Amino acid sequence: MSDLERHELISPIDRVLVIFSHPDDAEFSAAATIATLAAGARVDYLVTTDGGKGTEDPAVTSAQLTATRVAEQRAAADLLGVSEIVHLGYPDGYLTPSLELRRDIVRQIRRLRPDLVIAQNPVRRMDGNPFIGHPDHLATGEATLAAVYPAARDRLNFPELLSEGLEPWKVRQVLVSGVERANLYVDVSRQFERGLRALLCHASQIADPVAVEERVRQRAAEAGQPVGLPLANAFLSILLT
Ligand SMILES: [Zn+2]
């Protein structure tokens, strides 16, 4: 059991924004949670990069791959009940937590007004685990948290957004995925299969669907163990006041 204070999802939740780097990140980390939330709230996606480098096929260009991945992401989102997908289109693999990226995320937070944001983990693992963190994930995670607090909330940040008619917005809860220590567990037993089908929409990224299914199922089982859930997604929850 984690020694962090346990959190629950806020209530009510009208709008959710899931912010991630590459088409497939949202489904890999939280597909069944997204399906669960979408049953009672509007869920939108914000994808920071164009996903144009995730291939080993020398015959595929970056532009072709990006088009494929945009289509795969839309198909996955449709299965989960996601409404809008905003693609910022930064080049895959080269992302930094720049002020430009932060402003672009603030713009979408102020426009879409989510109560809840699902974010990537901005912290690199240094414990010998081979999943040390993709640099784009770290950059998106850092820019997302910086956008939520304080930039989306405080009107003097990025004043050009005010002239676009985008007033400050307070996100009430952030769920950070891919964390080593969690304090919020979403029971995904009922939506697990749907989440899996959504993940498998990313066919260009999945060479062995059976192995992926096994890995995702095992991870969900392990995530639920500390709280006695058969299948769960685990997050670090941050409540903002
Ligand atoms: Zn990724």
Side-chain angles (χ1 to χ4, degrees), residues 6-21:
R6 179 101 176 260
H7 287 185
E8 302 295 335
L9 288 171
I10 55 168
S11 178
I13 299 173
D14 293 323
R15 285 173 170 253
V16 177
L17 182 59
V18 190
I19 305 175
F20 53 97
S21 306

Side-chain angles (χ1 to χ4, degrees), residues 26-43:
E27 284 76 27
F28 259 116
S29 57
T33 293
I34 290 162
T36 303
L37 290 167
R42 174 182 165 129
V43 180

Side-chain angles (χ1 to χ4, degrees), residues 21-22 24-25 120 134 137:
S21 306
H22 311 110
D24 80 4
D25 290 341
Q120 291 185 299
H134 189 294
H137 297 181

Side-chain angles (χ1 to χ4, degrees), residues 1-2 6 28-30 32-33 176-189 192 214-236:
M1 174 69 86
S2 166
R6 179 101 176 260
F28 259 116
S29 57
T33 293
V176 183
S177 66
V179 289
E180 292 173 59
R181 296 199 310 158
N183 67 344
L184 185 144
Y185 302 84
V186 178
D187 180 353
V188 296
S189 310
F192 184 80
E214 248 171 54
R215 177 152 58 95
V216 172
R217 194 179 294 279
Q218 186 189 350
R219 207 172 52 183
E222 286 170 6
Q225 234 163 24
V227 289
L229 292 170
L231 294 168
N233 288 159
F235 302 92
L236 176 72

Side-chain angles (χ1 to χ4, degrees), residues 84-104:
E84 186 176 341
I85 304 175
V86 179
H87 293 273
L88 294 181
Y90 283 83
D92 188 355
Y94 300 158
L95 201 64
T96 61
S98 64
L99 286 174
E100 185 192 12
L101 175 62
R102 190 190 305 177
R103 182 204 58 210
D104 288 347

